[in-house]
Structure formats: structure tokens, C-alpha cells
Amino acid sequence: MSSVLGLRCRECDRQFPAEALHVCDFCFGPLEVSYDYDAIAAVTSRASIEAGPRTMWRYHSLLPVGNETPVSLGAGFTPLVRAERLGAELGLKDLWLKDDTANPTGSFKDRVVSVALTKARQLGFKVAACASTGNLANSVAAHAARAGMASVVLIPSNLEKAKVMMTTVYGGQVIAVDGNYDDVNRLCAELTSERPSWAFVNVNVRSYYAEGSKTLAFEIAEQLGWQVPDHVVVPIASGSQLTKIAKGFSELATVGLVDGDGSLRISGAQAQGCSPVATAFNKNIDAIAPVKPDTIAKSLAIGNPADGYYALAAIKNSGGGCGSVTDGEIIDAIKLLARTEGIFAETAGGVTVATLAQLAQRGVIDLNEKTVAIISGHGLKTVEALTGHVDPNHTIPATLDAFDAAVGFDDPLFN
Amino acid sequence: MPIIVRVPTQLRQLTAGVGEITLEAQTVGEALTALDVQYPGFGERLFDDAGALRRFVNVFLADEDVRFLEGLATPTPENSVISIVPAVAGGSI
């Protein structure tokens, strides 16, 4: 049984079959999966979901792969943690964190890649490929290994070392390209034309891939007791994750799993060095001007965001806000999150937490709102960003005298 | 001056499958207009009703997005390569 009706152009509404298509061949608008929600509702209940695996695949019926066996490393159903100490620092009384650092390769990308490779296998592809700023590369290489597929991953050559190694270790082809992410992505878009037998997860199977982000919304609602929060704060690179989280909450209401998402507000988080969506939001214009990224938050450094228009619309329609933060604020926020909640996030998580602080301070987030922030990736991926910011307190010889001299008995912390 | 326009898969139905078109033009706009003359149908796909590039159409001169240059007025020296690329990105989040 498949509840997928086909693909639909978000710009001009033309309909397409559910194949490896990603853009409308008339206007280049992105294609989106459309579903028969009555068919989904008929086979989906809170009980059927709760009886499913403790992964994102408990929402199988809301994902575009029919009955195909998932390509899965166990992504999803990550912790939703009440963040009392961070909330107290920011003046937010009901703050929650969706800790997607807990995914198998350390980022939310495992959600989208798990869907993309499942669909790619269903469509008969043998090779998985992608353009990536790192997190996607890690995840594609790992999931391809799991599925027994070949992989070809293109990355910018200046990527953090950990992200490169976390990709190469899985044994696929890794091609470092001189240029930034937008350059790599453009090469990938052109390659998609030239290598039609490859599944470029974020290009020709993007319509399916992107659906994986809906599971963030599904899980948040279920983990809150089948309740939609008041406010969600989401980092923006291409804008896809934010757009799909909005779609996810809306679908839950459509199929009757939650009572409605009418009051949900969605806010976006960007780094100042790459903030095309925040700029358009703050200028109150609909056109998103591409920028040349310059930020330590490389996983968000997309200067020409493909889903930026839709992310902007989702923010505006929900009454949310959009902030942008400096590299210094990002590093401070990574440390604040680690110190208060024991979660070590990569730079994108720093962007989200710093933006959370900014939006709370500006009154965009009400202090009593049930607010969920998405922490999308693990800090081990971007340790370079913290160089010089988190050194040991003392370096001493291995003697008690030296220790006592460094950490005295009169230190209030230890009495 | 002769220049090359690279056509993505999605638009090759207009060119009988040809991926690279050589034509004469002084600017990016002239090149795209010449393309529409040679292969009717490009115009309505690349441009909106106001004559601007559609928002999901990216045009590159060599490696640079023409939105960072002079847009459709960007000059095209001899042997320039223009690429039409769908603005589908991915990346991270």
C-alpha cells in the first residue's frame, strides 16, 4: 500500500509521477510529495505508532516509501529534554531541546538520508551521491555502507577534519572540491544531469529526502504527549528542515493525531555571516538575495537557500521571528548549552541557542511559551571552532603540591 | 561573439537532447533570448511575466552566479560558458 499520490510543483502546481524527479521541468520549482491523507489516517493511530520501533520509522506510514524495508542505522526518536537550567539563563520557563546529536552519525541528517536511500533503493538506484557541508556526507557514506550501496560524496575542500574523516572511514568515494558549498552544490546539480543512474540524495531524490525532517515534528509532538508546542526554533541553511517541520505538525493535525497546530509559531536561526533569510525577514521583503557565506557555522553556510522562500513564508505565516548571530555568540552559546544541559552541539546548535537567546531578549518568544529548539548536530564534528576557547584551567606537574597550589582548599567550589 | 550555453536535463526536451548550445551574444540576457529564438520555449521557462529570471532559475557565467555580477546585463566575452542550473540545493539544514 502506498499513500503517495505523486509529486507536485510548489511553484506552479503541475503534477508529476513519484519518480526520481526533483524540479518542475516547466519552471524549475521544487517538487513536493503529495499524499492521500485519508489512506494514511485509516492505517495510523497513536497506538499503532507507539507500538512501532524506537526510531523515526515508527512514522513509516507518513513517509513516502510505501512498504519498502527502511535503510536504517536507527536514526530518530532522539531525546526531547526539558532544559530548565538553560531556560533559567535565557528567561524561558518552558524550554525543551530536541537533541538530534544522538543520531547514529551525530546529526539530524540521518533522518533525511534514511528516507532518501530507502527511496533510492526502491527506485532501483545502486549508487548514492550527495553534495555536502559535512553532516550529510557522514550520513550518506554510513547509510550507503549499511545498505550495501556504492557512494560518491562531494565536499568543499576546506571542511572540518572530523567531518572529512567521518565520511572517508566508510570506504566510499569522497571528492573534495575547491570552493564553497554553493560551488559544490552547483557541480552536483550539473552532475545529476550527466550521471542519471546515481541517486543524488539532496538533488534528484530531494523531494523524498526532505520528507525525513518531518519526523522531528512527529517526535516532538509524541514526546510532549501528542501535543503541539507553542514555539519551535529551527536553524536555517537551505530552509528545508524548517519547512518540513511545519509540514510535519500540519500533517499530524490532518490525520487526526493531534488536536490542531493553529497556534504553533516557528522561528528561524541563522549565522550573521550567512543570513539571507533573516535579512529578508527583517527587511520585510519576499525576495531572498543570495550571499557569499563567511561563518564558522559551515553546516549552515548556504548562501542561496533553495527552500528559503518557503521557510520565510512558514515563519511569517506562523507569527514567528528570524534572528542572526555572530561567530562569537555561536561559540558562547555552544559553551552555555554544554555547561547548563550537558549537550555538546556543533556550530549549528550554537546558532540555534544564540538565536533562542536573542529572540527571548527581543520578546519574540514569550517567556511562558512551550518552546522547543532543534539541536541538530554533535559538537565533535566542529571541534576546530572551539580551538582556544575551552582550554584546561591549569597545567601542572604530577604532584600534590602543584595541585594544591592550583586548586586551593579555600576554593569555595570544593568546600 | 560565440559563446556556449549549457542546458540542464530538465530543459533538453527543448533542444532535442543537446546539452551545449553555441550561439552569438554580447550579454547573458542576449544569450538567453537567442536561445529562445533558436529553441522556442526557453523564454517562458526562464523568465517570469515581468521579464526577470524566475526565482528557481540560476544562471552562471563561468563559475559565478550572474546575480552577483550584472544580472542579465552581464557582458559575455568570446568563448564564455553560461550554465543554466535549477536552484535546488541541499546541504545541510
Side-chain angles (χ1 to χ4, degrees):
Chain A
M1 198 275 321
S2 175
S3 56
V4 174
L5 296 175
L7 299 172
R8 178 186 65 84
C9 175
R10 293 198 64 157
E11 291 287 296
C12 71
D13 243 8
R14 280 179 170 75
Q15 310 284 321
F16 298 87
E19 294 168 2
L21 303 167
H22 63 299
V23 289
C24 173
D25 63 11
F26 185 78
C27 75
F28 281 10
L31 303 183
E32 179 163 56
V33 181
S34 50
Y35 296 90
D36 177 348
Y37 289 111
D38 291 338
I40 293 174
V43 297
T44 309
S45 64
R46 292 179 182 181
S48 72
I49 289 170
E50 287 162 0
R54 293 184 67 79
T55 72
M56 58 180 274
W57 289 99
R58 65 207 273 110
Y59 311 102
H60 200 135
S61 65
L62 288 140
L63 295 170
V65 298
N67 288 330
E68 184 76 12
T69 302
V71 173
S72 175
L73 288 164
F77 218 61
T78 56
L80 179 73
V81 297
R82 180 83 194 269
E84 288 183 14
R85 277 173 298 281
L86 178 62
E89 295 264 356
L90 304 181
L92 297 173
K93 292 185 175 166
D94 197 5
L95 177 63
W96 299 71
L97 302 173
K98 184 61 173 162
D99 182 10
D100 250 19
T101 69
N103 276 313
T105 73
S107 87
F108 93 101
K109 284 292 177 186
D110 291 331
R111 299 174 182 277
V112 285
V113 170
S114 187
V115 174
L117 292 208
T118 302
K119 189 69 189 182
R121 196 162 68 179
Q122 189 181 43
L123 291 169
F125 288 102
K126 302 283 191 284
V127 179
C130 70
S132 175
T133 53
N135 287 327
L136 179 60
N138 298 166
S139 189
V140 167
H143 281 86
R146 178 74 173 181
M149 295 173 80
S151 65
V152 181
V153 170
L154 290 90
I155 55 174
S157 56
N158 69 347
L159 209 59
E160 295 96 333
K161 200 187 227 172
K163 284 183 178 169
V164 176
M165 291 179 65
M166 287 177 66
T167 307
T168 51
V169 70
Y170 297 106
Q173 291 282 313
V174 179
I175 313 295
V177 178
D178 291 327
N180 63 23
Y181 176 72
D182 292 302
D183 298 321
V184 180
N185 197 48
R186 181 175 69 81
L187 174 60
C188 227
E190 292 195 80
L191 271 175
T192 308
S193 298
E194 308 303 325
R195 310 284 176 113
S197 64
W198 294 3
F200 286 84
V201 300
N202 57 334
V203 188
N204 56 354
V205 290
R206 181 179 177 79
S207 309
Y208 308 99
Y209 152 99
E211 292 286 291
S213 287
K214 295 189 308 190
T215 57
L216 279 161
F218 301 157
E219 290 174 19
I220 289 168
E222 182 181 351
Q223 288 167 320
L224 289 173
W226 295 107
Q227 194 185 17
V228 177
D230 300 315
H231 208 134
V232 179
V233 180
V234 187
I236 299 176
S238 74
S240 172
Q241 186 191 90
L242 188 148
T243 309
K244 294 296 177 175
I245 286 175
K247 184 181 182 187
F249 283 116
S250 156
E251 285 184 347
L252 288 181
T254 302
V255 300
L257 291 169
V258 297
D259 289 335
D261 67 335
S263 63
L264 171 70
R265 297 200 293 151
I266 303 179
S267 290
Q270 293 206 293
Q272 247 172 44
C274 183
S275 55
V277 179
T279 301
F281 179 84
N282 291 318
K283 287 183 177 169
N284 197 24
I285 51 175
D286 289 329
I288 294 174
V291 300
K292 303 259 185 196
D294 179 17
T295 168
I296 58 168
K298 293 197 178 77
S299 63
L300 301 183
I302 297 180
N304 190 5
D307 290 304
Y309 295 107
Y310 306 122
L312 185 61
I315 292 168
K316 283 185 174 174
N317 294 341
S318 73
C322 196
S324 63
V325 294
T326 64
D327 284 357
E329 290 172 315
I330 295 167
I331 288 166
D332 288 345
I334 291 172
K335 291 164 66 179
L336 175 66
L337 175 64
R339 176 166 63 76
T340 54
E341 299 296 341
I343 296 173
F344 181 24
E346 65 141 325
T347 44
V351 169
T352 305
V353 171
T355 301
L356 193 61
Q358 188 182 85
L359 296 177
Q361 197 182 10
R362 280 171 27 199
V364 175
I365 300 175
D366 184 89
L367 75 165
N368 291 313
E369 280 186 303
K370 187 179 289 296
T371 301
V372 180
I374 309 291
I375 308 301
S376 52
H378 200 286
L380 283 175
K381 289 166 175 267
T382 57
V383 284
E384 282 93 339
L386 291 179
T387 305
H389 294 278
V390 282
D391 292 324
N393 297 83
H394 303 281
T395 301
I396 59 169
T399 68
L400 278 175
D401 284 350
F403 185 84
D404 289 344
V407 186
F409 284 104
D410 55 348
D411 191 320
L413 274 177
F414 304 105
N415 283 312
Chain B
M1 286 176 281
I3 59 157
I4 291 170
V5 179
R6 295 178 53 86
V7 177
T9 327
Q10 295 83 4
L11 295 179
R12 288 184 194 168
Q13 51 183 295
L14 297 175
T15 62
V18 179
E20 280 193 5
I21 311 292
T22 302
L23 42 77
E24 297 276 328
Q26 307 289 330
T27 65
V28 170
E30 275 185 33
L32 299 181
T33 306
L35 192 63
D36 185 50
V37 171
Q38 201 170 336
Y39 300 100
F42 271 93
E44 62 174 355
R45 284 154 182 240
L46 300 180
F47 302 110
D48 63 21
D49 294 343
L53 278 178
R54 286 185 184 274
R55 62 187 192 174
F56 284 95
V57 174
N58 285 343
V59 176
F60 290 82
L61 179 64
D63 290 327
E64 191 67 284
D65 187 331
V66 299
R67 291 185 176 98
F68 287 118
L69 303 171
E70 296 164 51
L72 294 174
T74 306
T76 49
E78 191 161 353
N79 300 322
S80 296
V81 177
I82 294 175
S83 300
I84 303 169
V85 182
V88 158
S92 229
I93 287 167

